Amino acid sequence: MIPSPLLRRPVVAALAALAITWPGMVSAWAQAQPREGFARTSPSGSYLAARHAGDQRDVAAAASYYRAALRGDPGNNELLGRTFLAVLANGEVDEGVKLAERVLQVDKNDRIARLVLGVRAIKQKQYPIARRELAQSIRGPITDLAATLLSAWTMANPSEAKRATETIDKLSGADWYAIFKELHAALILDVAGQKKEAARHYERAYKLDPTALRVVQSYGSFLSRQGNTADAMKVFAAFEEALPRHPLIVEATNELNAGKKLPLMVDSPQAGAAEVLYGLGASLGRLGGRISGSSICSSRSISRPRIRSLCFRSAISTRR
């Protein structure tokens, strides 16, 4: 079902922007379904069908029924908001952007719509516009982290990398923000060619959790490219001991054994945006989107080692 306002916005924010960053992930099912049947249903019937589809976790059907309901009642702002979120959750990118623009006509402060337009601007390499939109999406847990990291990625170049990391450093929040902050600061500095500072942040991220897959991949890749194959192997070996035979770590180890250097994990602001949003989407999805005071990853519970490890592993994962 479409979650309550407290929970739905950060979850859909990550999913929406992820879909925009990777347009190939649009639901093939949704594209293939004929829409004539939805048009024959009344707006109220379509709304009820959408709610039922949501209860059944059928996001494609929910999006289609909400869309049909909105066509029958285009002036209903509540329905517009639900359709916007459902369409984004289903990965229907182009329509999601159009709906975001309509939502902003009703509420210019809607932070999810601003976040969506900000990510679109990153994709189009319109970085000042992206920063402007993202700045208006920062109001609350997860969206503040997402918008800050995304804005920092618009400055992933030699002349602005320091400003990018300073922006990240200034962000305060839950304890589990730290691993995102350290990893993305490292990745941005790495892209910008500032290897000494990148190394410092990679080391910090790795110390936070040496079993976080994406951290391990990125740090090992960095060490490899710096000619430090022995330490890269140690990083992968430690992960292998904790989580044996992970295919990505096995592949990386084989590459190193063959005398090859590992590639840069993230090589552009667009890839960086994808990395931010996939990590957040994976974290929220696997933990059920719980970000309230009772969240498993709240600042009160994160101090427990077992829970902290779960949160970090869920958050810093891989899309491959």
Side-chain angles (χ1 to χ4, degrees):
M1 61 184 292
I2 303 298
S4 67
L6 174 64
L7 303 182
R8 70 184 182 183
R9 292 194 174 270
V11 176
V12 177
L15 292 174
L18 173 62
I20 290 172
T21 310
W22 291 319
M25 296 182 68
V26 176
S27 169
W29 187 97
Q31 291 178 325
Q33 294 305 302
R35 296 187 180 182
E36 292 80 2
F38 297 109
R40 293 193 293 268
T41 308
S42 68
S44 58
S46 294
Y47 173 78
L48 292 174
R51 294 294 299 270
H52 177 72
D55 288 341
Q56 300 301 310
R57 300 182 181 274
D58 188 343
V59 293
S64 294
Y65 279 118
Y66 273 125
R67 187 189 300 106
L70 184 62
R71 285 199 298 269
D73 189 4
N76 187 320
N77 294 334
E78 174 64 22
L79 191 53
L80 171 62
R82 285 180 174 270
T83 305
F84 170 53
L85 295 174
V87 164
L88 290 177
N90 195 42
E92 299 181 61
V93 178
D94 292 339
E95 189 166 2
V97 171
K98 292 176 182 178
L99 288 170
E101 293 170 340
R102 287 179 60 182
V103 167
L104 289 173
Q105 291 176 3
V106 176
D107 179 7
K108 66 180 182 180
N109 296 317
D110 188 287
R111 63 181 183 271
I112 299 305
R114 293 291 181 190
L115 185 60
V116 168
L117 296 186
V119 175
R120 180 183 64 173
I122 292 176
K123 181 183 176 184
Q124 296 174 342
K125 300 183 180 181
Q126 298 176 340
Y127 300 134
I129 293 175
R131 287 193 287 270
R132 183 189 69 204
E133 296 290 353
L134 293 167
Q136 296 180 71
S137 74
I138 301 176
R139 283 204 322 269
I142 307 300
T143 48
D144 62 350
L145 177 61
T148 298
L149 295 178
L150 289 169
S151 293
W153 271 106
T154 69
M155 297 178 275
N157 59 73
S159 63
E160 294 183 291
K162 182 179 179 181
R163 178 184 167 199
T165 56
E166 288 174 347
T167 298
I168 294 173
D169 287 342
K170 290 177 183 177
L171 177 65
S172 59
D175 292 350
W176 61 269
Y177 279 24
I179 198 166
F180 279 99
K181 291 170 62 177
E182 294 295 347
L183 177 60
H184 284 278
L187 292 169
I188 288 169
L189 290 163
D190 201 354
V191 169
Q194 299 181 14
K195 305 303 182 182
K196 183 177 180 180
E197 286 299 304
R200 185 165 61 88
H201 287 281
Y202 277 128
E203 289 168 4
R204 289 179 178 177
Y206 184 68
K207 287 178 180 178
L208 284 171
D209 187 356
T211 63
L213 176 59
R214 205 59 178 160
V215 172
V216 169
Q217 286 182 284
S218 300
Y219 189 32
S221 167
F222 175 79
L223 291 170
S224 165
R225 286 180 286 107
Q226 303 312 299
N228 197 344
T229 302
D231 281 350
M233 291 292 282
K234 289 178 182 178
V235 167
F236 293 141
F239 185 93
E240 172 75 12
E241 184 176 348
L243 297 169
R245 304 300 298 170
H246 191 289
L248 294 173
I249 301 304
V250 170
E251 180 184 9
T253 301
N254 289 341
E255 291 286 300
L256 291 178
N257 284 330
K260 299 178 181 179
K261 290 185 178 181
L262 301 178
L264 188 67
M265 296 298 297
V266 178
D267 60 4
S268 69
Q270 290 71 37
E275 194 72 34
V276 170
L277 293 158
Y278 182 81
L280 290 174
S283 176
L284 292 168
R286 294 177 190 185
L287 297 171
R290 297 188 293 268
I291 62 162
S292 65
S294 61
S295 168
I296 192 172
C297 288
S298 69
S299 58
R300 287 197 296 272
S301 62
I302 198 74
S303 60
R304 293 165 57 187
R306 186 176 178 182
I307 294 179
R308 180 173 66 245
S309 179
L310 170 63
C311 293
F312 289 167
R313 290 186 204 179
S314 297
I316 310 300
S317 56
T318 178
R319 65 173 177 270
R320 288 181 173 81

